[in-house]
């Protein structure tokens, strides 16, 4: 069970955008529900995997605190639409604590903040999309990209926010516009582009301010949790 | 105050059944609403959601939501025919572009579906208070449930603190933000201070957890405030039966119906009755509850 | 008092001590910066020994930095710091290091200082069950123990509240209750009341007293304000120079805090006022009750003005309003120095952003244009030299506050607003703070502080205003304030009241034994 779930992690995460693509190309009428269920399944598999890995306190607590911080940040910045620190915090979490924590921080932030903003069918999609923002942050950091090119993190920040926007818009387009035509899709992407750009700029701004000091502070906390040993161990 | 309400949910007849079942009910209703793209079924769902919302959220709040939802429906009705040039009954024609009645109706239905989904969600969040959701989740994934519970506790604390940090910076004159740029950096500073503070305190929380036997056993149990009684079993069987019937009926109704190129004619059909019963179920339970207490009061 | 203690001891024949420490030596490991090898630092304890009889209520006193917290944590195996350690710590005859996690949590309960950080879950019922869930307790046992403890502490009215909505006092009671569900036999408390207001402190101590006397649980409390607990305690220990010495309870001074007469005679010759406001009305939102409704305040220039009142009476709101961070809904605030003011928040953490104390002091250097020399003299004034290289969060509560004060004083404010400045401070830190404030006043700084520490107010404030029900209940010179107040004043702890307390306790016990039979 444990092994199967662990192997499923990457395929199921990749299957979510794939579903959107299949639904779009086959013009499936029930795309909204179908893709929603797939996204929910992906999140469920991810969390079940985390649960079965018997996480210890030093994995649980930073994820919870960062997730809650991102949610609180979203609430504190609610006055400025789409200017939110969530993506930036997910990226920092992914880079410092690894891809899994990155995903969990994003998912928790979306879920918990929606208890304050209002839940809707968008909740699983936000959980998935922000989760992926943190997940890729962790994957790229694991590959050593950000060590080699420190500026890459800001570039990633910009594109990750766009990725978030594209995922949500695609779900909306595929799920709720029927029959799907090129014109309507382009209109929908065009309408969401300005907001995505604000989000991307906000993410880069936040990263510029928090990335270096937070990484330092988080590493300090990691030390305090007696997180020593090889880098590989620390990330798992 | 609003926080307390969000927390405790409102008393409706729903408390009589297990939260897992409450959750299932809303999930089923949402899935049916989103899948059954058929004008009558959608109207049933929309009206039920609206009535239930009047009942549990109050007419003022519901009207406020409607003010937002109606434009949404209209926008869907307008935008769809602009792009989906399909149908047979032409309404107007601008040169090459024709607007068809069928596609306006499809847009209206799509808008109504979105509106019903949003209404159902807001009703569900009144009934399914956070601790009910967490109780259900904690039964399946204890650690994840606990993590979300912890995050739920931290968010209000962090927002309070964020405001405090902001007001402290405002009150130290020489550090008070003056320009617009200052205002932005001051807001960003809030997040930084908050993060350092919170993570530092999280170390103490970790100690508190260790001091209370965290990791003492591999089999962590979950305190069950709600138990799954015989009545719940009966209720779930009844609900399952109703849901299966409704799904079959909805499938039949949808497959016999098509928007394009010519919309099928809608007729009276007995199959709508079970569907309406499922959608109106919470309202019926609520009314029965009200009447019961009314009679009790008189007796 | 002694009779009562004898009575308790005689009813519980101590077969083996609840806690015994033999020849404990401990030092934190310090890393050699050159070689990177671990080596032993200075010995914090050297050959320290102690013994607690079962059912006792013992106070552990000692100066800041004497190692009270370290000792407490060494007893609780999960929290024991790493380092060089020698000697034995036995709890009910068992070596603590040999205890499993489950055994340890059912034998030794640990309550820390800050109620905010000890609460884990978002619902009160979940918080109570948390420890039992960890132990894998069965549903039936869990339900019963939670119910019992909830009744014992009177928690059931707020069982379903979110923990975030509780007051500090309720949170600390909850922290205690959620330890007790695991039925520990020895309870360790590290400064449990330092963050509480006087009324919440009384409530908490009373709960602790009942746990000790009614349930027979052995209690060890580390505290820097033992005087509030002497009525409940059966014995006291003092940590000094790495040794633990028993000290008689009578040796603990009865009255809190600052004995030295600090009141430097101050001629309020200046008639000018710094803050003047009339008829302030305020509430946070339409649904919420009024925080202020018709509040008046006049603060004389270069004086220390205290605002006293209970929790949630609007003291912090008022300070923010005086600082013009929030606007009243009606009325006007005239603040002469609003262009040169600073606030010291209740928790200095709200001010810290840097990685070291030195960085902290430099945060506003460019904006406020102060020189490096000024920083140095400020560091000297507050004796912060050793703290400069440390992370602000690694400092003690007293040092953190001094750092925060230094940081805001560098901006050279003419008006200083203080929110609960004595919270969590020990006696000597309070004394230092008082001296600093009086020094600032002498330099012409106006100080407005909100606090519920009446002892501190009586020592430093020139004028005192009591806020009640959104209005100023009275506002007068501090001396008059205390001589005119009958109920809201300093506790008179002297021999007569002590005897009264004992008599009261005795009669309560007799009543209980009557009802039992």
């Amino acid at each position: 069970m444990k092994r199967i779930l662990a192997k499923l992690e990457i395929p199921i995460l990749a299957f979510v955008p794939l579903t959107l693509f299949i639904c779009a190309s086959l013009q499936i009428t029930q795309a909204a529900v179908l893709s929603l269920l797939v996204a929910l399944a992906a999140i469920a598999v991810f969390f079940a995997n985390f649960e079965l890995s018997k996480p210890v306190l030093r994995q649980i607590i930073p994820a919870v605190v960062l997730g809650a911080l991102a949610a609180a940040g979203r609430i504190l910045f609610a006055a400025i639409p789409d200017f939110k620190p969530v993506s930036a915090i997910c990226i920092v979490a992914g880079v410092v604590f690894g891809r899994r924590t990155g995903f969990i921080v994003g998912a928790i932030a979306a879920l918990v903040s929606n208890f304050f903003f209002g839940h809707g069918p968008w909740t699983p999609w936000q959980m998935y999309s922000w989760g992926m923002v943190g997940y890729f942050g962790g994957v790229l950091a694991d590959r050593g990209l950000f060590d080699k090119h420190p500026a890459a993190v800001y570039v990633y920040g910009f594109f990750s926010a766009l990725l978030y926007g594209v995922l949500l818009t695609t779900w909306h387009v595929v799920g709720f516009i029927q029959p799907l035509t090129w014109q309507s899709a382009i209109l929908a992407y065009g309408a969401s582009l300005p907001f995505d750009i604000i989000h991307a700029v906000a993410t880069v701004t936040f990263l510029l301010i928090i990335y270096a000091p937070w990484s330092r502070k988080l590493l300090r906390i990691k030390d305090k949790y007696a997180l020593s040993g090889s880098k590989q161990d620390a990330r798992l | 105050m609003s926080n307390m309400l969000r927390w405790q949910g409102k008393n409706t007849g729903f408390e009589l059944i297990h939260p897992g079942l409450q959750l299932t009910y809303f999930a089923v209703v949402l899935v049916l609403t989103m899948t059954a793209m058929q004008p009558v079924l959608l109207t049933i769902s929309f009206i039920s959601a609206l009535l239930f919302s009047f009942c549990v959220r109050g007419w003022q709040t519901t009207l406020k939501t409607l003010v937002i939802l109606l434009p949404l429906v209209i926008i869907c009705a307008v935008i769809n025919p602009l792009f989906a040039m399909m149908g047979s009954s032409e309404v107007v024609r601008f040169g090459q572009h024709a607007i068809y009645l069928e596609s306006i109706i499809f847009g209206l239905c799509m808008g109504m579906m979105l509106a019903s989904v949003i209404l159902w969600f807001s009703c569900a969040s009144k009934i399914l208070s956070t601790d009910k959701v967490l109780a259900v989740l904690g039964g399946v994934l204890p650690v994840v449930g606990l993590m979300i519970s912890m995050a739920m506790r931290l968010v209000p604390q962090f927002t309070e603190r964020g405001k405090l940090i902001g007001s402290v910076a405002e009150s130290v004159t020489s550090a008070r933000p003056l320009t617009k740029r200052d205002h932005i950096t001051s807001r960003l500073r809030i997040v930084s201070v908050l993060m350092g503070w919170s993570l530092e305190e999280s170390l103490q929380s970790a100690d508190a957890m260790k001091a209370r036997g965290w990791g003492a056993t591999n089999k962590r149990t979950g305190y069950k405030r709600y138990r799954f009684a015989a009545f719940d079993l009966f209720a779930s069987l009844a609900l399952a039966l109703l849901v299966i019937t409704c799904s079959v009926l909805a499938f039949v109704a949808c497959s016999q119906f098509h928007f394009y190129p010519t919309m099928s004619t809608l007729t009276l059909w007995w199959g709508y009755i079970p569907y309406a019963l499922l959608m109106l179920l919470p309202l019926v339970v609520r009314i029965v509850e009200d009447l019961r207490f009314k009679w009790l009061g008189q007796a | 008092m002694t009779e009562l203690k004898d009575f308790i001891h005689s009813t519980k024949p101590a077969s083996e001590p609840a806690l015994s420490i033999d020849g404990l030596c401990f030092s934190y490991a310090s890393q050699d910066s050159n070689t990177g090898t671990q080596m032993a630092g200075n010995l914090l304890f050297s050959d320290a020994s102690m013994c607690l009889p079962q059912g006792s209520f013992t106070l552990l006193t000692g100066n800041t930095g004497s190692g009270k917290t370290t000792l407490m944590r060494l007893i609780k195996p999960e929290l024991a710091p790493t380092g060089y350690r020698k000697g034995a710590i036995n709890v009910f005859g068992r070596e603590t290091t040999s205890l499993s996690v489950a055994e340890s949590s059912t034998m030794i309960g640990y309550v820390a200082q800050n109620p905010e950080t000890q609460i884990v879950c978002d619902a009160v019922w979940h918080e109570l069950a948390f420890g039992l869930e960890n132990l894998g307790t069965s549903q039936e046992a869990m339900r019963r123990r939670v119910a019992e403890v909830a009744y014992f502490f009177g928690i059931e009215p707020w069982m379903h509240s979110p923990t975030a909505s509780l007051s500090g006092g309720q949170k600390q009671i909850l922290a205690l209750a959620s330890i007790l569900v695991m039925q520990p036999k020895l309870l360790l408390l590290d400064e449990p009341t330092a963050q509480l207001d006087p009324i919440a402190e009384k409530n908490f101590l009373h709960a602790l007293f009942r746990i000790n006397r009614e349930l027979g649980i052995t209690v060890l409390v580390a505290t820097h304000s033992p005087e509030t607990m002497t009525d409940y305690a059966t014995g006291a220990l003092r940590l000094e120079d790495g040794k633990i010495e028993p000290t008689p309870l009578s040796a603990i001074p009865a009255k809190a805090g600052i004995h030295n007469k600090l009141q430097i005679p101050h001629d309020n010759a200046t008639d000018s006022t710094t803050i003047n406001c009339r008829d302030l009305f305020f509430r946070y939102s339409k649904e919420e009750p009024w925080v202020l409704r018709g509040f008046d305040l006049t603060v004389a220039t270069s004086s220390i003005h205290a605002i006293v009142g209970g929790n949630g009476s609007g003291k912090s709101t008022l300070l923010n309003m005086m600082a013009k961070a929030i606007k009243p809904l009606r009325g006007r605030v005239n603040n002469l120095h609003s262009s040169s003011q600073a606030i010291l928040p209740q928790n200095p953490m709200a001010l810290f952003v840097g990685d070291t104390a030195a960085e902290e002091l430099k945060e506003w250097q460019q904006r406020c244009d102060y020189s490096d020399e000024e920083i140095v003299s400020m560091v000297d004034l507050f004796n912060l030299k050793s703290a400069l290289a440390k992370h602000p969060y690694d400092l003690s509560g007293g040092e953190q506050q001094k750092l925060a004060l230094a940081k805001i004083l560098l901006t050279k404010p003419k008006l200083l607003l203080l929110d609960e400045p004595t919270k969590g401070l020990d006696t000597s830190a309070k004394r230092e703070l008082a001296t600093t404030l009086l020094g600032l006043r002498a330099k012409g700084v106006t100080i407005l502080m909100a606090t519920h520490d009446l002892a501190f107010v009586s020592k430093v404030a020139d004028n005192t205003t009591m806020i009640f029900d959104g209005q100023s209940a009275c506002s007068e010179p501090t001396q008059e304030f205390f001589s005119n107040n009958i109920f809201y004043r300093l506790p008179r702890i002297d021999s007569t009241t002590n005897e009264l307390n004992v008599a009261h306790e005795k009669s309560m016990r007799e009543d209980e034994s009557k009802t039992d039979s």
Side-chain angles (χ1 to χ4, degrees):
Chain A
M1 179 74 178
K2 218 165 138 180
R3 273 195 199 159
I4 298 170
L5 276 178
K7 286 221 173 100
L8 263 178
E9 182 184 300
I10 293 169
I12 192 105
L13 288 181
F15 193 60
V16 177
L18 204 65
T19 315
L20 285 179
F21 181 75
I22 295 170
C23 286
S25 50
L26 297 181
Q27 298 271 0
I28 291 173
T29 36
Q30 306 298 5
V33 172
L34 202 66
S35 56
L36 193 67
L37 291 180
V38 172
L40 269 176
I43 297 165
V45 166
F46 199 92
F47 275 121
N49 215 345
F50 183 74
E51 176 93 29
L52 288 173
S53 72
K54 299 228 181 300
V56 290
L57 277 187
R58 60 167 186 267
Q59 294 167 300
I60 293 173
I61 291 194
V64 167
V65 174
L66 287 171
L69 266 175
R74 194 178 169 205
I75 294 167
L76 286 170
F77 281 87
I80 320 171
D82 285 278
F83 195 87
K84 45 200 167 210
V86 185
S87 302
I89 294 177
C90 296
I91 294 170
V92 177
V95 170
V96 178
F97 291 101
R99 55 179 205 279
R100 279 193 172 175
T101 308
F103 187 93
I104 285 169
V105 166
I108 286 187
L111 178 69
V112 171
S113 62
N114 277 357
F115 276 108
F116 299 85
F117 284 105
H119 280 288
W122 50 81
T123 303
W125 279 97
Q126 290 180 334
M127 288 174 73
Y128 173 80
S129 306
W130 265 323
M132 287 317 283
V133 168
Y135 188 86
F136 280 131
V139 170
L140 292 178
D142 241 1
R143 295 280 150 85
L145 181 71
F146 301 146
D147 294 337
K148 267 183 261 165
H149 312 283
V153 77
Y154 307 110
V155 178
Y156 170 66
F158 190 85
F159 285 105
S160 71
L162 290 186
L163 171 84
Y164 171 87
V166 165
L167 271 171
L168 276 165
T169 315
T170 310
W171 167 67
H172 190 87
V173 166
V174 173
F176 298 100
I177 298 181
Q178 272 168 10
L180 186 58
T181 55
W182 280 114
Q183 296 100 310
S184 48
I186 288 166
L187 184 86
Y189 284 114
S192 74
L193 193 67
F195 299 103
D196 295 342
I197 297 279
I198 297 177
H199 184 198
V201 170
T203 306
V204 175
T205 316
F206 274 107
L207 277 176
L208 279 170
I209 301 221
I210 68 173
Y211 181 70
W214 280 38
S215 305
R216 216 165 44 234
K217 284 182 188 185
L218 285 171
L219 285 172
R220 184 182 112 85
I221 291 292
K222 231 168 138 178
D223 283 344
K224 279 207 161 184
Y225 274 110
L227 260 186
S228 48
S230 70
K231 208 175 175 185
Q232 202 57 37
D233 279 349
R235 281 181 186 277
L236 280 174
Chain B
M1 191 60 209
S2 55
N3 194 25
M4 282 302 281
L5 273 180
R6 176 163 54 236
W7 179 266
Q8 284 173 334
K10 210 170 163 174
N11 283 345
T12 53
F14 258 105
E15 285 72 41
L16 293 174
I17 57 170
H18 190 269
L21 211 51
Q22 300 173 24
L23 197 70
T24 317
Y25 174 79
F26 282 110
V28 165
V29 165
L30 280 167
V31 168
L32 279 178
T33 306
M34 286 171 85
T35 42
M37 266 300 270
Q38 199 256 19
V40 180
L41 298 183
L42 277 174
T43 314
I44 291 174
S45 175
F46 181 73
I47 290 173
S48 311
L50 197 63
L51 288 176
F52 192 46
S53 172
F54 275 127
C55 190
V56 293
R57 297 170 69 224
W59 61 274
Q60 272 180 319
T61 330
T62 310
L63 285 183
K64 267 186 212 159
T65 320
L66 274 185
V67 169
I68 306 165
L69 290 182
L70 279 180
L72 179 85
V73 177
I74 293 165
I75 288 170
C76 286
V78 172
I79 285 184
N80 193 59
L82 290 181
F83 288 103
M85 275 159 279
M86 292 166 83
S88 51
S89 340
E90 200 175 298
V91 182
V92 260
R93 175 174 277 278
F94 308 103
Q96 289 246 306
H97 299 267
I99 303 270
Y100 297 100
L101 182 67
E102 285 79 10
S103 118
I104 293 179
I105 290 176
F106 183 87
L108 268 177
C109 285
M110 188 54 92
M112 196 153 70
M113 186 258 264
L114 279 176
S116 327
V117 167
I118 290 170
L119 272 177
W120 277 120
F121 254 105
S122 41
C123 290
S125 54
K126 273 275 175 232
I127 305 273
L128 296 165
S129 53
T130 37
D131 70 331
K132 276 191 204 168
V133 179
L134 290 176
V136 174
L137 189 65
V140 192
L141 299 171
V143 176
V144 174
L146 179 72
M147 285 171 77
I148 293 166
S149 166
M150 287 165 76
M152 281 301 291
R153 146 166 169 62
L154 290 176
V155 171
Q157 190 187 351
F158 288 176
T159 34
E160 281 295 302
R161 277 186 186 170
K163 285 177 195 154
L164 171 80
I165 295 164
S167 86
V168 166
E170 285 273 307
S171 305
V172 181
T173 346
S174 349
R176 186 184 278 169
L178 298 171
T179 60
K180 206 163 180 192
R181 202 193 138 87
D182 284 353
H183 272 286
I184 294 174
T185 36
S186 146
R187 274 187 177 241
L188 296 172
R189 183 180 172 272
I190 291 176
V191 185
S192 274
V193 176
L194 189 59
M195 177 263 184
W197 184 359
S198 315
L199 274 168
E200 195 65 25
E201 281 201 348
S202 76
L203 289 163
Q204 295 173 29
S205 303
D207 280 349
M209 289 169 80
K210 279 191 256 169
R212 285 196 271 161
W214 176 263
T217 159
N218 277 333
K219 275 195 188 146
R220 208 172 172 269
T221 45
Y223 181 85
K224 291 199 175 72
R225 259 194 74 204
Y226 307 95
R227 57 177 188 174
F228 200 84
F231 179 79
D232 294 304
L233 189 68
F234 168 73
S236 19
L237 286 177
L239 184 64
L241 208 67
L242 191 58
V243 168
I244 292 168
T245 319
C246 287
S247 310
V248 172
L249 290 172
F251 179 76
V252 173
C254 287
S255 56
Q256 284 177 355
F257 179 85
H258 44 85
F259 285 96
Y260 305 115
T262 325
M263 208 173 79
S264 327
T265 32
L266 296 163
T267 49
L268 275 178
W269 183 43
W270 64 268
Y272 296 138
I273 296 169
Y275 197 80
L277 183 67
L278 177 72
M279 293 289 169
L280 288 168
L281 197 61
L283 197 70
V284 172
V285 172
R286 173 67 195 264
I287 290 168
V288 169
E289 273 294 288
D290 278 357
L291 288 179
R292 196 148 75 163
F293 278 96
K294 221 170 188 175
W295 289 330
L296 271 180
Q298 280 165 357
Chain C
M1 199 72 203
T2 38
E3 279 173 38
L4 180 67
K5 275 171 224 157
D6 290 344
F7 166 71
I8 288 155
H9 282 268
S10 60
T11 51
K12 288 189 202 314
S15 52
E16 56 194 351
L19 169 69
S20 72
I21 296 179
D22 289 308
L24 179 71
C25 300
F26 181 78
S27 74
Y28 280 101
S30 62
Q31 206 148 46
D32 192 299
S33 49
N34 296 325
T35 58
T37 49
Q38 300 270 321
M39 48 181 271
N42 293 335
L43 277 183
L44 195 55
F45 306 116
S46 57
D47 202 19
S49 301
M50 65 182 262
C51 185
L52 289 190
Q54 287 189 22
S56 60
F57 189 127
T58 312
L59 307 179
L60 179 66
T61 64
N63 295 331
T64 310
S66 58
K68 296 193 293 283
T69 302
T70 311
L71 182 64
M72 299 292 251
R73 293 176 73 105
L74 280 171
I75 301 169
K76 178 82 182 159
E78 291 82 39
L79 304 181
T82 48
Y84 166 77
R85 173 179 172 171
K86 215 182 79 183
I89 303 177
N90 287 296
V91 173
F92 294 96
R94 298 273 310 271
E95 172 68 33
T96 53
T97 45
S98 72
L99 294 174
S100 71
V101 178
E103 283 172 327
S104 149
S105 49
T106 49
M107 269 168 100
I108 312 168
Y110 189 95
V111 178
Q113 181 183 123
N114 192 347
E116 290 297 330
T117 56
Q118 294 183 78
I119 308 284
V120 178
C121 304
D122 63 338
V124 170
W125 62 266
H126 198 185
E127 186 66 24
L128 280 175
F130 175 76
L132 297 172
E133 290 181 338
N134 289 339
L135 297 177
T137 316
S138 72
Q139 287 296 329
E140 297 78 46
M142 202 147 40
R143 216 174 283 277
R144 179 187 177 148
R145 288 211 218 161
V146 167
E148 272 193 273
V149 167
Y151 277 130
F152 186 86
F153 287 101
I155 286 175
E156 78 281 13
W158 30 284
M159 266 297 273
H160 302 309
S161 305
T163 49
S165 72
L166 304 181
S167 71
Q170 285 175 318
K171 278 183 187 148
Q172 196 67 327
I173 289 276
L174 177 60
L176 180 63
S178 40
I179 294 287
L180 280 184
V181 288
M182 299 195 286
Q183 303 176 335
K185 289 190 243 158
L186 169 66
L187 201 53
L188 308 171
L189 301 103
D190 188 10
E191 306 278 9
T193 58
Q195 304 288 326
L196 305 183
D197 65 82
I199 293 158
E201 178 180 19
K202 283 239 164 67
N203 269 335
F204 184 83
L205 288 175
H206 189 73
L208 207 53
F209 175 73
R210 283 180 59 213
I211 290 165
N212 176 250
R213 305 295 151 97
E214 291 176 20
L215 311 176
I217 293 171
T218 314
V219 175
L220 177 63
V221 189
T223 176
H224 55 56
S225 57
E227 58 283 342
T228 52
M229 303 177 194
T230 42
D231 288 354
Y232 307 104
T234 59
L237 299 166
R238 186 164 175 82
L239 246 178
E240 210 160 12
D241 305 326
K243 296 264 192 290
I244 310 163
E245 300 295 342
T247 113
L249 277 173
S250 54
I252 293 167
K255 221 171 197 172
I258 311 148
H259 298 285
N260 320 11
K261 256 241 172 319
L262 281 162
Q263 200 82 330
I264 301 165
H266 181 70
D267 46 333
N268 275 351
T270 49
D271 286 337
S272 60
T273 54
T274 294
I275 294 176
N276 184 11
C277 57
R278 288 278 163 271
D279 208 24
L280 298 182
F281 275 72
F282 185 76
R283 57 179 166 182
Y284 281 95
S285 71
K286 225 165 57 182
E287 290 80 31
E288 281 173 81
W290 291 99
V291 185
L292 300 174
R293 24 170 231 99
F295 186 85
D296 305 331
L297 183 70
T298 307
V299 179
T301 305
S302 72
S303 71
I304 300 180
H305 196 116
I307 297 172
V308 298
N311 261 352
S313 57
K315 299 195 297 284
S316 301
T317 309
L318 192 67
L319 280 189
N320 282 332
M321 195 172 285
M322 295 304 133
K324 298 200 167 175
I326 46 177
K327 282 200 179 78
L329 296 175
R330 202 179 102 183
R332 241 180 85 86
V333 177
N334 293 312
N335 179 345
L336 199 67
H337 292 320
S338 71
S339 57
S340 171
Q341 63 179 15
I343 195 166
L344 180 67
Q346 208 175 99
N347 196 330
M349 297 278 217
L351 268 176
F352 295 153
V353 71
D355 284 334
T356 60
E359 227 173 90
E360 216 55 74
L361 293 175
K362 282 188 176 141
E363 191 197 346
W364 292 324
Q365 188 167 21
Q366 278 189 325
R367 293 257 341 231
C368 306
D369 197 28
Y370 48 81
S371 63
D372 286 345
E373 288 77 48
E374 281 173 277
I375 297 182
V376 172
S377 61
M378 193 60 80
V379 167
D380 288 340
L381 178 69
F382 284 101
N383 200 12
L384 282 168
K385 198 147 202 167
S386 58
L388 276 183
K390 285 192 197 158
H391 198 286
Y393 296 148
D394 290 337
L395 304 178
S396 73
E399 283 176 318
Q400 279 183 352
Q401 204 196 30
K402 281 198 276 182
L403 178 64
L405 202 54
K407 181 173 178 174
I408 58 169
L409 285 182
L410 279 169
T411 68
K412 299 187 205 81
K414 289 189 187 128
L415 169 66
L416 190 57
L417 303 155
L418 309 169
D419 195 0
E420 297 291 356
T422 56
K423 196 172 183 179
L425 294 190
D426 65 11
T427 315
S428 65
K430 274 186 200 173
R431 201 176 293 138
E432 270 181 64
L433 179 68
T435 322
T436 313
L437 294 186
L438 291 169
L440 285 170
R441 184 189 63 175
K443 282 185 201 154
V445 176
T446 310
I447 296 168
L448 177 64
M449 62 175 180
T451 180
H452 38 226
D453 189 338
L454 294 180
F456 189 74
V457 168
S458 74
K459 298 298 175 211
V460 299
D462 299 310
N463 296 295
T464 304
T465 298
M466 178 158 69
I467 177 171
F468 178 73
D469 196 18
Q471 290 172 333
S472 147
C474 66
S475 187
E476 45 193 15
T478 304
Q479 256 176 346
E480 279 174 46
F481 177 82
F482 281 104
S483 54
N484 291 345
N485 276 8
I486 296 166
F487 298 104
Y488 200 76
R489 53 177 298 154
L490 294 172
R492 272 162 42 122
I493 303 174
D494 52 33
S495 52
T496 38
T497 43
N498 249 350
E499 274 161 31
L500 278 173
N501 281 343
V502 174
H504 177 65
E505 277 161 21
K506 253 189 193 164
S507 67
M508 271 174 57
R509 290 207 142 257
E510 275 157 21
D511 287 349
E512 274 163 23
S513 53
K514 263 179 218 160
T515 44
D516 283 349
S517 59

